Amino acid sequence: MNRWDAALATLLLVTAAAAWPLSASAADEGVRISGPRGETRFASGVSGEWRIEGRIGVVVVRTGPEGARVVDSGCPDRSCVRTGIVKRGTVTCAPNGVVVRVGGMRGDIDAVNR
């Protein structure tokens, strides 16, 4: 390893250390439940059960310190129910138009598709 390699390695470590607090603060931005009739947001770890009216039926979401999960849905394949508990990520019931996002919700845009 020459001195340029060492300088590059040091620069990478300093950059990673500086970015660490930013990624840690974005990791727990709460829970967001979106449906055809609106959106609900609350802090992570809040225990409760929400009944969201979807396009073809009701979606029941249960949240707590362990994360969030869809426990019942009126959709035909129920893949949202089979997803299980999500501590960070997204559960989607596409037929009902209901999306549950846990953590990392710093902005309103997740991705742009053109």
Side-chain angles (χ1 to χ4, degrees), residues 2-111:
N2 65 33
R3 74 181 214 192
W4 293 110
D5 291 338
L8 180 60
T10 302
L11 177 65
L12 289 173
L13 287 173
V14 168
T15 303
W20 181 264
L22 298 175
S23 66
S25 67
D28 186 23
E29 293 291 324
V31 177
R32 180 191 301 178
I33 304 173
S34 305
R37 295 188 178 171
E39 181 175 279
T40 301
R41 294 180 186 203
F42 48 91
S44 293
V46 173
S47 296
E49 190 168 286
W50 286 264
R51 299 177 60 80
I52 311 299
E53 186 69 36
R55 285 190 219 122
I56 63 171
V58 175
V59 177
V60 181
V61 179
R62 188 173 296 151
T63 62
E66 68 281 353
R69 68 178 296 165
V70 174
V71 293
D72 194 22
S73 177
C75 64
D77 64 358
R78 297 172 52 88
S79 62
C80 52
V81 176
R82 290 193 310 269
T83 300
I85 296 174
V86 174
K87 197 152 188 90
R88 178 177 162 87
T90 304
V91 179
T92 303
C93 183
N96 274 306
V98 175
V99 178
V100 180
R101 292 185 183 99
V102 182
M105 301 179 316
R106 188 159 283 277
D108 289 331
I109 299 174
D110 289 340

